[in-house]
Amino acid sequence: MNKSAIRNFAVTARTRLKEQVKDRAAIYGITEKEIKKIELFGDGFRVRGKVYDKITLAQYRQLVNAVEHKGFENVVEEVAYTWFNRFIALRFMEVNGYMPFNIHTKVLAGVDEKDEPEIISASKDLELVSPEVYYSCLDKGDVEGLYKTILINLCNKLSNIMPNMFEKISDYTELLLPDHLYTEGGIINLLVTGIPEEDFTNQVEIIGWLYQFYISEKKAQVDEAVAKGKKVSKDDLPAKTQLFTPDWIVKYLVENSLGRLWLEKGDENSPVKNNWKYYLDGELIKDGSKLSPEEIKIIDPACGSGHMLVYAFDVLYDIYVSCGYPERDIPQLILEKNLYGIDIDERAAQLAYFALIMKARSKNRRLFRKGEPLTVNVCAIKESNGISSIIIPFQSQLKFDDCHKLTAEYLIKTFYNAREYGSIIKVEPMDYDGLSAYLDEIIHQGAMDIFESMFVNQVAKDMPDLIRQAKILSQKYDVYITNPPYLGKGMSPLLSDYVKDNYPDSKSDLFAVFMELPLLKPGGYLAMINQHSWMFLASFEKLRRKVVQTQTITSMLHLGPRTFEEISGEVVQSVAFVLKNESVPDYMGEYVRLVDFDSAAEKETGTLHAIADTNCGYRYKCNSENYKKMPGSPVAYWISHRILSSFISKTNLSSVAEIVSGMTTGNNEKYLRIWYEVIVNRISFNSSNIKNVDIKKTIWFPYNKGGIQRKWYGNNEYIVNWSESANFNRAKTTMTHLYLQKCITWSDISGNNFAARYCDYGFMFDVKGSCGFPKEE
C-alpha cells in the first residue's frame, strides 16, 4: 500500500474541497463575512444577477440556516468531508466491482486518465438521468452539469441500500458540490490518478488510512493548541483523538480476544486457529459454558473507521463456516447479530459502516440484490439538545404513555451534550424497543393538536438516533475491543467533571477511562491498545489494583515507543493487551517485551518470533497476583523471583527517601541554557543559606535534566530560567519544600540499568532527571 500517495491525496483533498465548497457558496452570496440579501423572483430567487428555481431556493434557505446555527467554517468542513467520504466509497466500489444496480462501468474513472468518467455515456441506459436531462445537457455542452446530476442521483439511489453513507441529497450538500471534478487537478481526477488502483483492491484498510491522513492537518493544529494549554472542544475531539491502529496489532487484539473466546466457549480444536498469525498460545480458561456463533456480541466503542470490526468480521466468518453455516447467509448474520460500533465522530462512523458493508459484499456478491437498507449496528453519537429545547414548553400538552414518556425523558437527559462525553456515557437498559414502536404508533394515529404534533414530529426525527445508541451502550458484550482516545490535560471542563464524577480511578486520561466502561459480560474479553503509563504511574494505581483484583491479564505486547509509523520518538509509549473479565488467581499470562525494538516493523517481526519461540528471551509468563506484592502494584511482568522477593522482604527506597518525578518547562529552547551560555552571579548554596534564597527573584538555577546514563556524579550541564517574567508555569508547586535540596538523581530514559548520581544543594529538577531526597544525612 502506497501510504505516501494516500497521504498526499487526502491532505490535498481536504484543502481543495474546502476551497471549492467556499467558491460554490460565494456564487449564492454566502461568505465567511456576509450573507447577501436575495431578491425573491416568482417561485425562485435572484442573487448576484442570476435567477434560480424554487428547489434551489429551498436548498439556499437550508444553507443559510446551517451557516447561522453552525458557523460558516463548520458548514464548509461538513460538506467537504461528506463529499470526500462519498468519493472514496464510490472509488472503492468501482475498483472492486461492488457497484449495485448492474452498474459495470466506472463512476469516477475513464478508460484512461485523460477521458471523462465512463458513467457519463452509460448513464441514460442505467436510468441515472432522464433522457430529457441527458440530451438537454449535451445540447448545451454542459457535460459537467450532467455528471453532477449523475453523481447526485446515484448517491440518492445508493441511499436505499446504505442510508448512513449515502443519505438522500436534497439540501445544501447538493448545492455546494464542487465544480471541475474530473478535469485535470479536480478532486476526482486526483483520486483516480494519485492512488494506485491496486491499493483499493480488496483492502478495506485503505479507508481508514485515507481518513486519518484527511484530518492530519487539523489534528496537528489541535495538538499545538493543547500543548499551549488550551482545552479541546467537542468539535475538535475527533481530530485530536483519532489514531489508526497498525493492521498486525489489530489482528493480535482480535485473535487473542474473539479467537480465544471461541476456543473456550465454542470449539477448542477449531481449524480456524490455523489462520491466526498473532495468537499467543496460552492456557484456556474454560467454565463449561458454550456459545454459538450467532450469540457472540462484539463492540468497539471508539470504532473510528472500523478497522478492528472489519478484522473481527473475517474471524467470525471463518467461525461460522467451520460450524457449517451456508456461506451466503453468513455476512448478513454477522452484520445483524455480532458486530457493534459507535464513535464520537460522524465522519469516521460513516466509513466504519461502509467498510463493514464492503467486507460483507466481498463475501456475498448477491448482498445488494434486494435493494433494501442493510442492518449494520454502527452509529455516531448524537446529542439530545435539539429535542430538549422543545420538550419543556410543550410538557403539559404531551399525551405519551407514562412509561414511554419516562424512557424518552431519560434519553434526553442522558444524551444532553453527548458529543462532549462520547461512549463513556453510562446508559441504563430500558424498554427502548417499546419506545420506538410507541412513537411509530402515535405518529400514525394522527388527530394531534398543533403543540403535540410539533413535539412528536421533532421526537420522531431525532429519537431513533438516541434509541440506537442507547441500545448499543446499555448492552453487555462478550468481546470489547478498541484503540481508545488519548486525552489528559486537554479535557474540556464538562468532560473533565464527568470523568471525575463517574470514573475517579482512571480520571487522569481518557484511554484509562475506556478500560473501565461497563460493557463486558462476566468472563468476556477486553482487548485494547493504549499508553503504557497505566502500568506504572501512581496516578493509575487504583485502576491497576482494580484490574488485578477483578480481571485477569491473559496476554500482553509491551510495545513501547515507535509503535506507530506516523509518530516518531518517545511521544507515545504503547501497550496492547487482553483482559478476561474475571479473576483467575493462579493464571499465568503471556507477555512479549518489545520496548527495545526500534521500529514498528521490528516489533511485528519480534512478535512473530516470540510466538514461534517461547524461549526467545523476551517472552515472559507472569501471574497477576505478583503485582499486588509490590508497592503501587506496577505491571512488572519481567522481574525475577529474586527481585520480587526483595520487594516483600527488603526495605523500600521510599522509606528512606522521598522519590519524585520532576517538572517540565513546556519550552526547553526558551527556558534552558548550557551553563556557559549565560553570565550569572554564582550563588554558593549550602545548608545554612539555602532557606534564605528567594527563588522568585533568582533568574538562573542549575537544573537536573537527566542526560546520558552516568554513575555517581555529573550531567550538570543545564541551567533553567526561573524569573517571574519568564512565565514558567509547569513547576511542581506541591514540591517547593524540595527545591534546591541535595539529593540522589538518575536519568529517566537512558540505558537499561539504574545509575544514580549525587547532587549537591542548589538544583531544580526535571521530569527526565528524577530525584530521591533522603530523609537522613
Side-chain angles (χ1 to χ4, degrees), residues 101 153-164 166-168 353 368 370-374:
F101 317 125
N153 290 344
L154 176 58
C155 288
N156 284 340
K157 200 167 183 178
L158 285 167
S159 71
N160 295 324
I161 299 171
M162 294 174 271
N164 286 12
F166 296 97
E167 58 265 83
K168 278 200 178 289
Y353 167 92
F368 299 149
K370 293 182 180 179
E372 297 174 353
L374 295 166

Side-chain angles (χ1 to χ4, degrees), residues 206-274:
I206 191 175
I207 294 170
W209 284 117
L210 277 163
Y211 181 60
Q212 173 151 317
F213 292 137
Y214 181 84
I215 62 170
S216 59
E217 287 189 340
K218 185 171 183 180
K219 178 178 175 62
Q221 293 167 1
V222 179
D223 285 342
E224 183 179 353
V226 172
K228 294 177 180 178
K230 292 186 178 179
K231 303 302 181 184
V232 181
S233 70
K234 63 183 178 183
D235 291 326
D236 289 336
L237 262 177
K240 173 70 178 107
T241 57
Q242 286 284 350
L243 186 60
F244 193 69
T245 314
D247 192 54
W248 70 276
I249 295 176
V250 170
K251 290 179 177 178
Y252 157 78
L253 293 171
V254 173
E255 291 169 9
N256 288 276
S257 55
L258 170 59
R260 171 177 277 271
L261 178 81
W262 180 245
L263 297 181
E264 290 177 350
K265 296 182 180 293
D267 180 4
E268 182 176 357
N269 301 310
S270 176
V272 300
K273 180 181 174 182
N274 300 330

